[in-house]
């Protein structure tokens, strides 16, 4: 007999384009929160990279 606490946990993640029909409303909200967190992480990294590029561009700007 297998008890709920012994079952392996589903990995938390999201595959783009996966079937959402089997998910509950609560699971969908959790997935939305997960994706919003990932978007924030991506935007923060993009900001760091853009700042680094601006710094490099200003440092290597040709002097006239």
């Amino acid at each position: 007999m297998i008890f709920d606490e012994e079952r392996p946990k589903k990995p938390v993640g999201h595959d783009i384009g996966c079937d959402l029909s089997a998910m509950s409303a609560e699971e969908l909200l959790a997935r939305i929160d997960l994706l919003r967190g990932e978007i924030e992480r991506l935007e923060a990294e993009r900001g760091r990279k853009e700042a680094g590029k601006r710094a490099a561009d200003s440092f290597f700007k040709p002097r006239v």
Side-chain angles (χ1 to χ4, degrees):
M1 178 186 271
I2 297 177
F3 296 99
D4 285 341
E5 56 269 7
E6 293 178 6
R7 290 185 185 160
K9 302 287 183 192
K10 288 183 182 180
V12 177
H14 182 75
D15 293 325
I16 303 299
C18 67
D19 181 20
L20 305 175
S21 63
M23 293 181 155
S24 69
E26 185 176 303
E27 289 172 318
L28 290 169
L29 285 173
R31 189 68 55 99
I32 289 167
D33 288 341
L34 174 75
L35 291 170
R36 283 187 178 138
E38 184 65 5
I39 289 168
E40 289 173 7
R41 190 177 76 89
L42 290 165
E43 288 175 338
E45 183 63 24
R46 185 190 74 193
R48 283 189 287 277
K49 291 188 183 280
E50 288 175 347
K53 183 177 181 330
R54 284 191 305 272
D57 288 347
S58 69
F59 182 78
F60 292 107
K61 191 176 233 178
R63 310 244 185 241
V64 182

